[in-house]
Amino acid sequence: MLRQIRSKDKSPNSNVTKLKRSKNEGNVAWCERVMQAIRAADKKNTYILLLGGSDTMAFRLRVAQSHLREDMLPSFWSEAMLLALQDDNPLQSTDAIYVPLIQPEGPAFSPRNNGVVARPLRDFDNPDCYPNIALIALPVAQSIVLNYVEKFRKSRSTLDALEHVVRWLAYAWGAGNIANPLYENYGLPSACMLETAFAAANLDITPGLESRVSCPEAIWVAARFWQSYFKEFKSGNELVGRYWTPHEYLIDEPKRNMQG
């Protein structure tokens, strides 16, 4: 397994709880319900969205992150992104900022933006494509984090996200002799972008793992099991969120008769 520091907390964060997706409800509508439940008028938070896809690429990414889990089962998550909320605007018009492995054709050449892309949140609305979902509020003002994301986008000197992109694409596609990039200190690029931006804003969102190896699973583990750390470090502010994870891979481990 990958080397990581284990949290001292023995039970999951009670402020990050399940919220079932309603029948025929899309991911954007689900997020709107979550925002109504956790958004506080007196607090300036930034919101991270985790998604778990159902296609083959997502399968490869989710299995790769199993090395961060004690049970070694596939992660629920394949994507991590930042919601760029605008005052009084519905989530339908909100952008999700991330570093996709499949880079768009344009309008800008990917190296000019360090792979950072903004897409409408509604592009991720289909729960058949993204059945697993989590929305987590972090106690840092969004304007501060977005400022550091912009600096990350303009410079590849801090972390070259595209180097991570090509490593993960080679692994996911089975091209060449590429091992799991996490073992070579290459985290999933979008999670690394978030880790870098939040670290610059003085918040370590994956306290058990170094930033270059960040991934959606590491962010999830921190939100679920590092509540004491965040409460102490951020003057009593704990992470708050909701999640729904109906999509798992069937793994059958039958009981074996060990008698001779």
Side-chain angles (χ1 to χ4, degrees):
M1 296 182 68
L2 289 166
R3 292 182 179 179
Q4 57 182 324
I5 301 172
R6 296 295 181 184
S7 170
K8 297 179 181 179
D9 290 297
K10 302 301 182 183
S11 57
N13 184 354
S14 60
N15 292 314
V16 178
T17 58
K18 287 184 179 180
L19 180 64
K20 186 176 181 179
R21 186 188 286 112
S22 301
K23 185 178 180 181
N24 299 324
E25 183 178 42
N27 286 334
V28 174
W30 183 90
C31 287
E32 288 175 340
R33 284 203 293 135
V34 174
M35 294 295 291
Q36 292 175 2
I38 69 175
R39 196 173 191 177
D42 61 334
K43 292 184 179 180
K44 296 182 179 180
N45 290 327
T46 302
Y47 295 85
I48 285 180
L49 180 68
L50 301 179
L51 294 172
S54 58
D55 61 11
T56 306
M57 174 73 83
F59 168 77
R60 296 281 287 160
L61 303 183
R62 290 170 62 178
V63 170
Q65 296 173 83
S66 65
H67 296 274
L68 290 170
R69 296 174 55 99
E70 289 185 344
D71 57 16
M72 296 294 288
L73 294 177
S75 171
F76 290 121
W77 316 110
S78 55
E79 299 282 358
M81 51 192 67
L82 181 72
L83 295 190
L85 300 176
Q86 299 181 22
D87 292 339
D88 301 324
N89 283 356
L91 288 182
Q92 283 285 354
S93 59
T94 293
D95 281 342
I97 301 174
Y98 73 130
V99 181
L101 295 187
I102 306 298
Q103 288 284 309
E105 294 181 358
F109 187 43
S110 294
R112 296 173 186 166
N113 294 319
N114 202 10
V116 177
V117 171
R119 283 180 62 184
L121 179 60
R122 60 179 179 271
D123 288 355
F124 305 94
D125 188 54
N126 190 340
D128 291 331
C129 296
Y130 302 99
N132 292 344
I133 186 169
L135 187 59
I136 302 166
L138 294 102
V140 181
Q142 176 183 273
S143 59
I144 297 175
V145 177
L146 287 177
N147 177 57
Y148 286 117
V149 168
E150 181 64 13
K151 291 181 178 180
F152 179 92
R153 185 184 70 83
K154 291 181 177 179
S155 174
R156 297 165 66 183
S157 60
T158 302
L159 187 141
D160 188 346
L162 294 176
E163 183 181 5
H164 291 239
V165 166
V166 296
R167 286 274 182 161
W168 277 97
L169 276 180
Y171 171 76
W173 289 344
N177 188 24
I178 300 296
N180 186 334
L182 291 177
Y183 276 99
E184 299 178 339
N185 292 326
Y186 287 94
L188 277 157
S190 196
C192 290
M193 176 200 72
L194 295 173
E195 174 68 39
T196 302
F198 277 96
N202 201 32
L203 180 64
D204 185 356
I205 61 173
T206 58
L209 204 63
E210 64 173 293
S211 60
R212 280 185 58 87
V213 197
S214 188
C215 57
E217 179 65 25
I219 296 173
W220 170 246
V221 169
R224 287 279 283 159
F225 293 102
W226 283 81
Q227 60 269 28
S228 295
Y229 164 82
F230 288 106
K231 188 174 183 179
E232 178 182 357
F233 189 74
K234 295 302 293 183
S235 302
N237 290 315
E238 296 181 271
L239 301 195
V240 179
R242 300 291 185 271
Y243 67 93
W244 183 239
T245 52
H247 189 270
E248 297 180 353
Y249 299 106
L250 178 61
I251 297 175
D252 185 10
E253 295 187 22
K255 294 182 179 179
R256 293 176 174 82
N257 186 353
M258 302 302 293
Q259 296 179 356

